[in-house]
Amino acid sequence: AARRLDAKVTQSMQSLGMPGGVFETRVEARDPPAFTAQGNDEVEFLVSANPGQPPRPLAKVASGGELSRISLGLQVAAHDAAQLPCLVFDEVDAGVGGAVAEMVGQQLHALAARGQVLCVTHLPQVAAQSDHQLRVSKQVSGGATRTRIEALDDDSRVEEIARMLGGAQITQRTLEHAREMLASGRRGGRARATVASGGSGS
């Protein structure tokens, strides 16, 4: 089972911005034996994010961005066994950007073909890959803080992606770029992927 898991996660790493990366699971029997609810095995995940480096303990060598992507790879690898109808990712794209963020979005979208995926993100590259987008914002009124969640239609999505791209000043060029990103995401296929992006005050 560990070897099958290793092969699947290693394969995912190649498409998540870690070409040549390797994931390994070390399974060793406790000596002397100490049987617990998890059995007598000590299990440790090892990773090499770069070619030519020996795998080392995941907890010691992986950066925040690498941990996020390896976590996504593990979720993808274990999805069929777990058979979960809905997966929630809270900023699984932390520490990544650019082309790698787009690859993360594509991986999430592919995962959504087998069940619903909800993802919290601040990255337009990830949000543009989704089928539905919600804007999350915080509002303070009368000394109380409330969270507002708003489902976005097509026009609102363009504006939100543009805001995520350009910040406070949204230009015509930023809007065009947002439309292009959304069109590219739609060409990638349809699945049940939903993202929540942070709005003002979030």
Side-chain angles (χ1 to χ4, degrees), residues 3-192:
R3 286 194 294 269
R4 291 196 302 272
L5 178 68
D6 294 348
K8 287 183 177 181
V9 177
T10 296
Q11 182 179 6
S12 286
M13 289 173 68
Q14 311 313 303
S15 61
L16 290 173
M18 292 177 279
V22 175
F23 181 89
E24 289 184 8
T25 306
R26 181 182 62 82
V27 182
E28 292 183 357
R30 291 184 178 93
D31 186 22
F35 291 97
T36 69
Q38 288 76 38
N40 186 46
D41 292 327
E42 292 272 2
V43 179
E44 184 176 30
F45 293 145
L46 309 173
V47 66
S48 169
N50 302 298
Q53 294 182 346
R56 297 179 58 202
L58 175 66
K60 294 181 180 178
V61 300
S63 68
E66 290 166 348
L67 279 173
S68 296
R69 287 174 280 161
I70 292 167
S71 170
L72 176 57
L74 279 166
Q75 292 280 0
V76 171
H79 183 266
D80 290 337
Q83 296 180 339
L84 298 173
C86 180
L87 294 172
V88 179
F89 294 95
D90 185 5
E91 299 191 30
V92 72
D93 49 23
V96 302
V100 174
E102 187 173 355
M103 287 186 272
V104 169
Q106 291 170 355
Q107 191 81 21
L108 288 165
H109 196 270
L111 188 58
R114 292 175 272 174
Q116 186 180 49
V117 172
L118 301 174
C119 177
V120 179
T121 185
H122 291 279
L123 297 180
Q125 297 93 332
V126 173
Q129 299 290 329
S130 70
D131 296 304
H132 306 283
Q133 187 170 352
L134 310 172
R135 178 168 47 220
V136 181
S137 59
K138 292 179 184 177
Q139 299 176 333
V140 179
S141 176
T145 302
R146 298 184 182 276
T147 301
R148 177 179 176 174
I149 301 176
E150 176 186 2
L152 303 181
D153 60 20
D154 289 345
D155 291 337
S156 297
R157 282 195 74 187
V158 171
E159 292 178 7
E160 178 66 5
I161 295 291
R163 184 196 64 77
M164 295 169 80
L165 281 165
Q169 291 289 349
I170 297 177
T171 66
Q172 191 59 41
R173 181 167 292 187
T174 310
L175 289 168
E176 290 171 7
H177 189 191
R179 289 187 191 96
E180 183 180 332
M181 289 181 75
L182 286 164
S184 177
R186 289 188 187 102
R187 287 193 295 270
R190 307 303 288 169
R192 293 173 291 171

